[in-house]
Amino acid sequence: MSNFTRSILITGGTSGLGLCAAAEIAKQHPEYQVMVASRKDPDNSAAAINKKLGQSNVQYMPLDLGHLENVRSFVKTWGERNFPPIAALLLNAGLQNPGSVRYTADGIESTFGVNHVGHALLFYLLQPYLADDARIVVVASGTHDPAQKTGLPDAKYTSGEELAHPSDATVNNPGRQRYATSKLCNIMWTYALQRRLARLANKKWTVAAFDPGLMPGTGLARDAGVILRFVWNRVLPSLVPLLRLLASPNTHLPEESGASLAWLALDEKERSTSGLYYEGRKPIKSSVDSYDEKNQEELWSWTVKFLAADDKELHDFEVVA
């Protein structure tokens, strides 16, 4: 049994926003076990954070959100290792595929599959391991909101089934629209989850959605062309102050947004709020479409029915706790 009092789990925590949040949380709480979970960890991120801080509370576990059996295996391993209760679950990992449609190992459109479906299953299965006052933070994006004019095609929610298995009518939709729509789904799912958390009598679980803003230098452009990747990774990070003036004031270095994500997950006052959408550290309104309760419930219902392996899971996933 470890000496750590609580666990923090961050998906996509080996690079970019998630890595910066993990480092900030580990620094503030050396008594917490901080677990970074991602498909790969080529830079030994956990060891790098531990070395920098002179601590040993950050660990890495492999997790492939695009492979549902791997998500189940991850949670099984988590339970077997008897980790401390999860105080904060940060659903941060994200995929943006700008090209033609791709599919996960389970045959789901990959952007929707990783950004929404894999994360939903992870939450459903991890419920027994959450602390009684757990905080869930879903990393979304301002790109979900057409009113923000981010330059991405407008997000468009049709149905969970259509997004998972595009028909002939939608299979050629732009990859960047799929990304914006997946972020809309993140927020819709957050609101649907909040309604269920509000009914819990024996838990004080809260949930929030988070927009980290435009963050040049993160891995989100890893599937873009060579020139765009170079500009994104090497040029734009040094121009953040100018981008705040010319593009959006909600432009940050990953370290800045990572600190905000850590704050939203752990700040005692903010942890007590639930069902809000944050732009950095400020709660704001999300898009008009995100408040469509009928679509929220359609997405929730499709997700539960698609993921549940049997009647028990169907009940447990739907009811929550």
Side-chain angles (χ1 to χ4, degrees):
M1 185 70 178
S2 73
N3 294 322
F4 299 123
T5 59
R6 310 187 103 190
S7 297
I8 308 291
L9 174 56
I10 308 172
T11 67
T14 59
S15 64
L17 174 68
L19 176 66
C20 294
E24 182 66 24
I25 292 170
K27 179 180 178 181
Q28 291 183 23
H29 292 278
E31 77 279 16
Y32 287 1
Q33 169 191 266
V34 180
M35 187 67 70
V36 293
S38 190
R39 196 161 53 89
K40 297 178 181 178
D41 186 21
D43 298 321
N44 297 312
S45 58
I49 295 174
N50 286 332
K51 182 177 180 180
K52 182 179 180 180
L53 297 179
Q55 298 173 185
S56 59
N57 61 324
V58 184
Q59 298 181 53
Y60 165 73
M61 281 181 68
L63 170 64
D64 185 354
L65 291 161
H67 196 308
L68 297 177
E69 277 305 314
N70 184 268
V71 176
R72 289 181 177 275
S73 176
F74 175 91
V75 176
K76 184 174 183 290
T77 300
W78 185 281
E80 291 170 348
R81 294 176 68 176
N82 198 29
F83 292 135
I86 299 171
L89 174 61
L90 279 59
L91 304 179
N92 160 76
L95 174 70
Q96 183 176 157
N97 172 28
S100 58
V101 65
R102 296 181 187 175
Y103 295 91
T104 68
D106 304 284
I108 308 169
E109 190 281 316
S110 60
T111 310
F112 181 68
V114 169
N115 296 359
H116 169 66
V117 180
H119 274 135
L121 180 60
L122 182 67
F123 166 76
Y124 295 146
L125 296 175
L126 280 175
Q127 289 183 71
Y129 308 107
L130 297 180
D132 288 345
D133 61 346
R135 177 68 153 170
I136 301 106
V137 181
V138 182
V139 175
S141 169
T143 60
H144 86 280
D145 188 355
Q148 290 204 21
K149 301 186 185 305
T150 61
L152 265 66
D154 291 352
K156 182 175 175 58
Y157 185 79
T158 48
S159 70
E161 177 61 24
E162 180 71 25
L163 293 175
H165 306 109
S167 65
D168 290 345
T170 64
V171 71
N172 292 318
N173 284 0
R176 297 195 305 157
Q177 184 182 50
R178 296 189 190 284
Y179 175 78
T181 301
S182 75
K183 294 292 137 179
L184 172 61
C185 290
N186 288 156
I187 299 168
M188 291 165 53
W189 186 82
T190 295
Y191 294 154
L193 174 58
Q194 161 54 23
R195 280 194 292 278
R196 287 154 175 84
L197 299 186
R199 299 196 291 261
L200 296 181
N202 60 338
K203 306 285 185 182
K204 294 182 179 179
W205 293 350
T206 62
V207 64
F210 173 71
D211 170 23
L214 180 66
M215 291 181 298
T218 63
L220 201 57
R222 58 183 172 271
D223 291 323
V226 174
I227 294 176
L228 183 56
R229 285 204 312 273
F230 176 81
V231 172
W232 179 258
N233 292 321
R234 303 296 181 184
V235 178
L236 293 184
S238 63
L239 299 177
V240 164
L242 183 61
L243 290 172
R244 285 186 183 134
L245 291 173
L246 299 180
S248 168
N250 189 29
T251 303
H252 308 281
L253 292 171
E255 292 82 2
E256 296 169 332
S257 291
S260 293
L261 178 55
W263 168 85
L264 185 56
L266 297 180
D267 181 83
E268 286 302 319
K269 179 182 177 183
E270 296 307 318
R271 281 174 64 90
S272 66
T273 66
S274 195
L276 298 180
Y277 170 66
Y278 286 78
E279 183 180 84
R281 303 194 183 197
K282 177 184 176 183
I284 66 168
K285 289 287 187 182
S286 51
S287 72
V288 172
D289 288 349
S290 69
Y291 292 104
D292 187 321
E293 192 167 319
K294 181 180 178 182
N295 282 346
Q296 293 168 13
E297 290 300 315
E298 195 281 336
L299 175 65
W300 183 276
S301 178
W302 178 89
T303 305
V304 166
K305 290 175 181 176
F306 180 80
L307 291 173
D310 51 38
D311 288 343
K312 183 180 185 303
E313 285 195 351
L314 192 65
H315 173 271
D316 292 348
F317 292 0
E318 171 57 39
V319 174
V320 176

